[in-house]
Amino acid sequence: MRKLYFFLLLFTTFLSAQEKTETTALDVQYFRGNVLPHTDDLQHFLQGHPDGVLISLYKKTYGHQEWERAFNYPDYGGYFIFQDFKNDILGKVYGVGAHYNFYFLNRKVQFKIAQGVAYTTDPHDKENNSKNFAFGSKIVANTNFALNYTTPIVDRFELKAGLLFTHFSNGRIKAPNSGVNSYGVNLGITYNFEEPLERQIDTLPKVKFTEPLKYNLVLRTGISENPIIGSGQKPFFHPAFYIDKRISRKSALQLGTEVFFTNSYKEFIKFQSIAYPEENVTADTDYKRAGVFIGYELFINRISLEAQVGYYVYQPYKSDIPIYDRVGMKYYITKKMYTGLSIKTHIFLAEAMEFVMGVRF
């Protein structure tokens, strides 16, 4: 028995001696706004003002790791979102995912980036919901951006208000998939479960970060369906090679080239050649494409955010504009290997949700 007491005393002493490096907070926000129609077939969705709730549970950082000091002590955690589009066609969505909060202007302004998945209650159905060209599947990707002003009100509570942008799309895994963007205002309350800790001082703000050119081999793959509903899902492969150059402790610029083997285009080309002979598209038109792109990567711990803009230098079948763009998130398994997800679009129209595997050397 004495040995047990001694062990418990040792264990308690060990726990109390551990330095606390983070605190926990919860915020609940109500939002209301409008659907942003980016295609003509979304005009009939403008019947009401979508509203919903965004709930975030997260950790506040205090600079005990270098990346926390570099990004002005951000928050990170998970979120739940509910949005009612106030529209019988679109229905409602429920989503979960991960997010970061970044702070500016003496920590009065908070910028939230959130990425996850969502469940739609009323996706396209040719018999019961044929007008829903936004969601072709029950499971879709969800991206949110919020810009808030935050201020303490009483005890551990804070008030925040600002602007919120939401996006829901399945990345054309299944047609139709116009996706839905909405914008609006939000108002919320934050509760801090613990007292704030002392922030560690950043000792590297003026140290110049240098790194040689890095070379990347990337394979982006997944499944997609062409715009014809019910045409079937086909695999695609988007291999790429690019060079990146770190320009600071946070950022890198990219320059590269890639090839697109999008198998769903084969069936679409055949359909177009038969259904629209006036377009002068032949059934044997090459479905492959090649592009060059420039990009930017923001490094946050093992996670990085990526944005690219490209131009097709080879595009025999011109169903889309020659300019494309991509946004994504990567996770570095090691310093040289990474995985992730990205969305390739033509302006607002998604072409593919890509699973990423890459090597940086």
Side-chain angles (χ1 to χ4, degrees):
M1 185 63 70
R2 288 182 179 178
K3 290 183 178 180
L4 178 59
Y5 285 141
F6 179 73
F7 174 77
L8 291 175
L9 180 61
L10 252 168
F11 183 68
T12 305
T13 304
F14 173 78
L15 287 181
S16 61
Q18 300 305 297
E19 183 182 15
K20 191 173 182 63
T21 60
E22 299 172 327
T23 59
T24 305
L26 173 73
D27 73 51
V28 180
Q29 300 178 52
Y30 169 78
F31 61 90
R32 178 180 173 87
N34 298 284
V35 171
L36 179 65
H38 54 274
T39 63
D40 292 338
D41 57 7
L42 297 183
Q43 292 293 335
H44 59 283
F45 293 157
L46 305 180
Q47 298 177 3
H49 296 284
D51 67 0
V53 176
L54 177 61
I55 302 173
S56 305
L57 180 65
Y58 53 89
K59 293 289 187 179
K60 288 177 168 287
T61 65
Y62 294 89
H64 289 266
Q65 297 187 51
E66 191 275 334
W67 72 271
E68 299 170 0
R69 301 190 296 273
F71 284 92
N72 193 28
Y73 318 101
D75 312 326
Y76 68 94
Y79 74 89
F80 166 80
I81 187 171
F82 164 75
Q83 185 163 354
D84 183 350
F85 288 104
K86 304 297 183 182
N87 185 297
D88 293 336
I89 298 172
L90 292 179
K92 305 174 179 64
V93 290
Y94 302 83
V96 294
H99 74 93
Y100 279 100
N101 295 330
F102 299 98
Y103 291 89
F104 308 91
L105 301 179
N106 198 26
R107 304 188 71 79
K108 292 293 186 181
V109 176
Q110 180 194 82
F111 178 60
K112 180 190 293 287
I113 300 176
Q115 179 72 55
V117 295
Y119 172 83
T120 67
T121 60
D122 297 273
H124 176 87
D125 183 276
K126 64 180 181 181
E127 295 181 0
N128 301 318
N129 198 15
S130 61
K131 293 183 179 180
N132 189 346
F133 293 101
F135 305 138
S137 60
K138 284 186 174 291
I139 304 299
V140 297
N142 168 230
T143 302
N144 309 302
F145 299 101
L147 185 66
N148 290 311
Y149 178 83
T150 178
T151 183
I153 46 176
V154 61
D155 198 15
R156 296 182 180 178
F157 289 92
E158 298 173 6
L159 178 69
K160 62 175 55 176
L163 305 173
L164 176 67
F165 172 85
T166 70
H167 170 76
F168 297 92
S169 167
N170 72 14
R172 217 170 79 186
I173 290 177
K174 188 176 181 181
N177 183 54
S178 296
V180 172
N181 302 311
S182 68
Y183 63 95
V185 296
N186 62 275
L187 179 67
I189 294 288
T190 299
Y191 177 71
N192 297 286
F193 290 95
E194 299 137 297
E195 293 293 334
L197 305 177
E198 182 180 354
R199 294 192 179 92
Q200 303 298 303
I201 297 174
D202 188 6
T203 58
L204 300 174
K206 295 183 180 179
V207 176
K208 185 177 181 180
F209 186 94
T210 60
E211 188 179 75
L213 291 174
K214 294 293 184 177
Y215 305 94
N216 293 258
L217 291 174
V218 182
L219 176 62
R220 299 182 176 94
T221 186
I223 57 174
S224 64
E225 186 173 28
N226 69 50
I228 303 171
I229 300 171
S231 59
Q233 297 166 313
K234 306 290 183 182
F236 64 81
F237 304 94
H238 299 166
F241 170 79
Y242 68 88
I243 299 170
D244 76 61
K245 174 61 177 175
R246 287 287 284 265
I247 57 174
S248 71
R249 65 197 288 201
K250 302 177 185 178
S251 305
L253 299 179
Q254 305 170 342
L255 176 64
T257 184
E258 57 191 324
V259 182
F260 304 95
F261 301 95
T262 310
N263 288 300
S264 61
Y265 270 45
K266 291 182 180 179
E267 301 292 331
F268 192 55
I269 290 171
K270 292 178 182 178
F271 172 83
Q272 293 290 95
S273 68
I274 297 171
Y276 301 98
E278 68 275 10
E279 299 291 336
N280 297 317
V281 176
T282 61
D284 60 352
T285 301
D286 191 1
Y287 75 100
K288 296 184 290 294
R289 295 163 294 167
V292 294
F293 64 88
I294 57 173
Y296 170 78
E297 186 169 1
L298 180 67
F299 295 90
I300 311 171
N301 200 13
R302 285 177 173 260
I303 292 175
S304 73
L305 305 177
E306 188 175 60
Q308 298 172 345
V309 177
Y311 181 83
Y312 294 118
V313 294
Y314 179 75
Q315 188 188 22
Y317 177 59
K318 296 177 173 56
S319 64
D320 299 303
I321 62 174
I323 297 173
Y324 63 91
D325 51 274
R326 173 185 289 118
V327 294
M329 179 180 292
K330 289 155 59 172
Y331 176 78
Y332 281 85
I333 304 168
T334 68
K335 290 185 177 180
K336 293 186 177 181
M337 297 180 60
Y338 54 83
T339 185
L341 288 172
S342 59
I343 298 288
K344 177 176 180 281
T345 70
H346 299 93
I347 311 299
F348 286 110
L349 299 178
E351 178 195 316
M353 183 182 298
E354 305 164 317
F355 175 69
V356 181
M357 297 173 288
V359 178
R360 183 174 185 256
F361 57 93

